[in-house]
Amino acid sequence: MGDPHRVGVVGLGVISRAYLDTLADHPEVSIVAVADLDAARSAEVAATIPGAEAVSVERLLAHPDVQTVLNLTIPAAHADISLGTIEAGKHVYVEKPLAVTFPDGRSIIERAASVGVLVGCAPDTVLGTGTQTARAAIDAGLIGRPMSASAVMVTPGHERWHPNPDFYYAPGGGPMLDMGPYYISALIHLLGPVRAVTGAASRLRAERVIGSGPRTGQRIPVGVDTHLTGVLEHANGALSTITTSFDGVRTTAAPIEVHGEAGTLAVPDPNYFDGEVRLFALGDTEWRALEPQAGYAEASRGIGLIDLVRADDQRPPRADGAVALHVLETMTSLLQSAAEGQRIELTTVVQRPVPVPLTSVEEWRAYQPYGH
């Protein structure tokens, strides 16, 4: 059957549990080392994974048994850890966003290419049956030629539930860099790459009040815009509007809608893998749900790393660094456009990732030969 691909995990915060639940018992992956700035946390996590060693971050990046580093650090550390991984000659799969600045993201991709290692990046939620079924419907012509889309994310802010929400309101944070990767990645899968953007932004409050944990009631400063609306011009001529907000309360808008000449698709929340895709075609009198037609069924976070492990010369990774860099440039260009009041053309060009055929949970959790 071959040896499993050996992975080291850096950063053992809240999101790490979802990844570990997916990867720890997958036959193609072996978690051999974990690291966190909190050594006690590293030891606690390692004790739950047979064969895993708790080490320092420096030791993990240099670990001779690690082939790929899963980088789950906070966004501000993504670039440093990813570049350190690449310099050690290892592949890296990083939690979203790829980096907090476009130049840092470009450095990761360029350096990886020069060293000859792979870069993968979340979100991998768009590889689930929700986004992929909607993509299959578009590609099958169920809505005719797609002309436009809308993407909406409205929340009153993460300080209500997160005990240490400071980084959401510091440079590199904000609703666009936090949640934008899900929506923009989905729009790229659905409609293709973006060629130009126009954005506008605002900031409702100068301070936020922490609502949970030991710091409840503490005020933190807001150093970023907390509401952003933008227009994405796709290379195929379609126009998407996107709203990401930490200033609203709730919305009745579909997370994503795609409009075509012959119908409209309601697409489920791209922060999740599945969900109901609904179609309203010309001549219909009501919405109708589509059965899952594509995507990894019952998937969970970490499927993107498995997809990377299974990639080969014929099929590149679907949640790869090139797409992540394009998403990052789209987001940072929206922020730049909002600050400068002008339309910005993007410099990165990517292809839509290869679609995911409908793949049962038994299939994606089973062993398959891999190339890396």
Side-chain angles (χ1 to χ4, degrees):
M1 192 171 79
D3 295 329
H5 191 86
R6 301 183 301 277
V7 174
V9 183
V10 178
L12 301 172
V14 174
I15 193 63
S16 67
R17 189 68 262 165
Y19 279 91
L20 294 174
D21 287 346
T22 300
L23 300 173
D25 62 349
H26 195 282
E28 289 175 61
V29 174
S30 174
I31 299 175
V32 298
V34 297
D36 192 271
L37 293 178
D38 184 340
R41 181 186 292 171
S42 298
E44 180 181 349
V45 171
T48 68
I49 305 171
E53 179 184 6
V55 297
S56 68
V57 173
E58 293 76 13
R59 166 63 179 161
L60 189 143
L61 298 187
H63 202 297
D65 293 336
V66 171
Q67 295 171 277
T68 294
V69 170
L70 175 57
N71 179 1
L72 303 180
T73 57
I74 63 171
H78 283 180
D80 285 345
I81 296 298
S82 294
L83 287 169
T85 299
I86 292 164
E87 291 305 318
K90 305 178 190 303
H91 310 301
V92 61
Y93 187 94
V94 58
E95 176 57 13
K96 56 81 188 170
L98 179 65
V100 296
T101 71
F102 178 61
D104 279 350
R106 185 169 52 197
S107 295
I108 292 170
I109 301 305
E110 291 177 350
R111 187 58 183 151
S114 68
V115 172
V117 297
L118 296 177
V119 176
C121 186
D124 54 7
T125 50
V126 296
L127 306 183
T129 53
T131 298
Q132 291 295 314
T133 292
R135 172 180 176 161
I138 293 170
D139 292 349
L142 297 189
I143 64 170
R145 184 175 59 179
M147 302 177 300
S148 64
S150 61
V152 180
M153 190 288 298
V154 175
T155 173
H158 296 340
E159 75 278 4
R160 296 167 58 252
W161 57 269
H162 199 294
N164 294 292
D166 309 65
F167 68 94
Y168 289 116
Y169 299 100
M176 176 52 67
L177 286 177
D178 176 45
M179 296 300 294
Y182 298 103
Y183 293 83
I184 295 173
S185 295
L187 290 170
I188 290 170
H189 275 266
L190 297 171
L191 297 175
V194 179
R195 67 185 180 199
V197 302
T198 305
S202 63
R203 191 177 311 184
L204 187 64
R205 298 187 291 277
E207 292 182 328
R208 297 278 175 146
V209 180
I210 298 177
S212 66
R215 299 171 62 197
T216 296
Q218 182 177 331
R219 294 181 177 273
I220 58 173
V222 175
V224 295
D225 288 328
T226 48
H227 181 99
L228 189 140
T229 297
V231 176
L232 314 182
E233 302 174 28
H234 292 269
N236 67 354
L239 299 177
S240 294
T241 59
I242 184 169
T243 297
T244 59
S245 182
F246 286 165
D247 290 336
V249 175
R250 191 172 291 272
T251 178
T252 60
I256 296 177
E257 286 186 344
V258 183
H259 306 284
E261 294 175 309
T264 292
L265 279 175
V267 184
D269 190 339
N271 193 20
Y272 300 94
F273 287 89
D274 52 16
E276 186 176 74
V277 179
R278 294 180 297 139
L279 170 67
F280 199 109
L282 280 175
D284 287 348
T285 58
E286 59 183 20
W287 292 90
R288 55 188 173 95
L290 301 180
E291 291 294 322
Q293 302 169 24
Y296 291 114
E298 301 179 51
S300 52
R301 295 179 196 266
I303 189 68
L305 190 150
I306 295 169
D307 185 272
L308 179 143
V309 166
R310 291 179 172 179
D312 54 31
D313 294 338
Q314 284 72 49
R315 200 273 294 166
R318 295 180 174 95
D320 75 343
V323 172
L325 183 64
H326 188 64
V327 170
L328 180 61
E329 186 180 21
T330 301
M331 295 189 298
T332 55
S333 295
L334 280 166
L335 294 169
Q336 180 184 347
S337 172
E340 299 176 356
Q342 62 179 353
R343 174 181 177 271
I344 294 178
E345 295 187 359
L346 272 60
T347 61
T348 55
V349 179
V350 296
Q351 301 296 318
R352 292 170 81 197
V354 177
V356 183
L358 187 59
T359 306
S360 71
V361 63
E362 292 80 13
E363 289 174 313
W364 69 256
R365 291 200 66 85
Y367 175 83
Q368 290 186 15
Y370 53 84
H372 300 285

